Amino acid sequence: MVIMPVVTRHLIDRGDGATVELFQAQAASETPAGAILFVHGNQGGRLLGGIEAVDSGALLRFCSGLNITAAAVSQPGFGASDGPPDFCGPKTQQAIIAALAFLRDQPSVDPDRIVLYGNSRGAVASAMVATQIPDLRAVILSSGVYDLEVAYRESSDGLRWAIEKEAGLSREAFLARSALHYAPEVRSETLLLHGKHDDRAPVAQAELFSKALSNAGVLATLHVFDCGHQIPTNHKRGALKPFLQRVFNPVVTYH
């Protein structure tokens, strides 16, 4: 009999007393297996948070398909995570780090096989987390920007307003959200996914970050798709499936 995983909801401490919401589907494995943490994007102002990955079926698909623990975190100000939002800034990064620590403590999770997967503004924050957490097995960044000051100058009025409101326009604020400037701090293998015609996050951002990572000695792969900001699932699948299968199913070597 096959036991289907169930999704559980958790409220954890960000480390400063604030609440972080996390959803988790746990693999039915006798030995610790890998884990993946999803970090959502802007969500069109709906502020759903991590439950988006539950409602779309992504958590259960990744959990059962790869026999791993799949989780999704709500950024500050989204879902039930305490706000206010800070546009991928230190509080958002702390929330992601707290979620990773929660996963790492699960008996079902192999702490050496945790993957962080950020989309859009989730990719901005996840890239910064990768500069602070060196032992992630891998990082997947989809449709992100990695030099926020440059992106701000090229952004639409709506995006510029959100950055001004949530982050401010100081040099320090931009640096705290711009992983390109800290590429040598990244130690994890990185997969970048980006649309060639992205009007919110120019593809040049991904190209520059991929090059900076490679120059720093990081194994980085960039896939550019013929689409806009939202990358269709069928486009991403061809890049994601072999990458995740390799990451979560290491080859056994016999001596």
Side-chain angles (χ1 to χ4, degrees):
M1 182 178 67
V2 177
I3 300 175
M4 292 298 294
V6 297
V7 176
T8 54
R9 177 175 176 266
H10 307 267
L11 298 176
I12 62 178
D13 192 312
R14 192 168 67 196
D16 57 3
T19 295
V20 174
E21 179 182 49
L22 179 139
F23 297 90
Q24 174 179 284
Q26 188 171 302
S29 176
E30 293 182 1
T31 58
I36 189 167
L37 177 66
F38 293 97
V39 187
H40 60 82
N42 189 51
Q43 302 181 321
R46 292 178 294 164
L47 307 180
L48 298 172
I51 200 169
E52 179 183 55
V54 180
D55 293 342
S56 70
L59 284 197
L60 290 178
R61 282 199 309 273
F62 277 78
C63 176
S64 58
L66 292 162
N67 194 35
I68 61 171
T69 293
V73 63
S74 298
Q75 297 181 46
F78 290 76
S81 287
D82 288 341
D86 67 346
F87 205 91
C88 320
K91 298 300 185 185
T92 299
Q93 295 163 35
Q94 287 175 26
I96 297 169
I97 291 170
L100 290 168
F102 177 84
L103 287 177
R104 197 181 302 273
D105 287 342
Q106 302 300 306
S108 62
V109 172
D110 177 352
D112 294 325
R113 284 193 287 157
I114 297 178
V115 173
L116 179 60
Y117 186 163
N119 177 58
S120 191
R121 68 188 277 162
V124 179
S126 294
M128 285 300 301
V129 168
T131 71
Q132 302 165 62
I133 306 295
D135 59 350
L136 293 166
R137 176 58 185 85
V139 182
I140 302 171
L141 304 170
S142 178
S143 306
V145 298
Y146 311 103
D147 187 330
L148 190 64
E149 187 169 9
V150 170
Y152 172 80
R153 293 199 298 264
E154 301 172 348
S155 293
S156 65
D157 288 344
L159 190 53
R160 286 165 67 99
W161 178 83
I163 293 171
E164 291 173 20
K165 179 186 175 186
E166 295 184 28
L169 302 180
S170 70
R171 177 64 175 160
E172 293 75 20
F174 284 127
L175 282 174
R177 297 160 174 83
S178 300
L180 179 64
H181 297 282
Y182 308 99
E185 305 301 320
V186 178
R187 293 290 179 268
S188 307
E189 179 177 357
T190 303
L191 175 67
L192 295 110
L193 310 172
H194 218 96
K196 184 190 300 183
H197 312 293
D198 194 326
D199 60 344
R200 300 185 212 173
V203 68
Q205 290 262 338
E207 292 169 341
L208 285 171
F209 191 44
S210 177
K211 184 177 180 180
L213 290 171
S214 296
N215 288 342
V218 176
L219 181 58
T221 305
L222 169 62
H223 289 270
V224 177
F225 304 96
D226 191 16
C227 62
H229 187 66
Q230 299 293 339
I231 305 174
T233 301
N234 62 327
H235 284 38
K236 290 188 287 189
R237 188 179 292 118
L240 278 174
K241 187 175 180 180
F243 181 83
L244 290 173
Q245 286 178 336
R246 176 175 59 80
V247 164
F248 288 124
N249 297 291
V251 176
V252 177
T253 302
Y254 295 95
H255 298 283

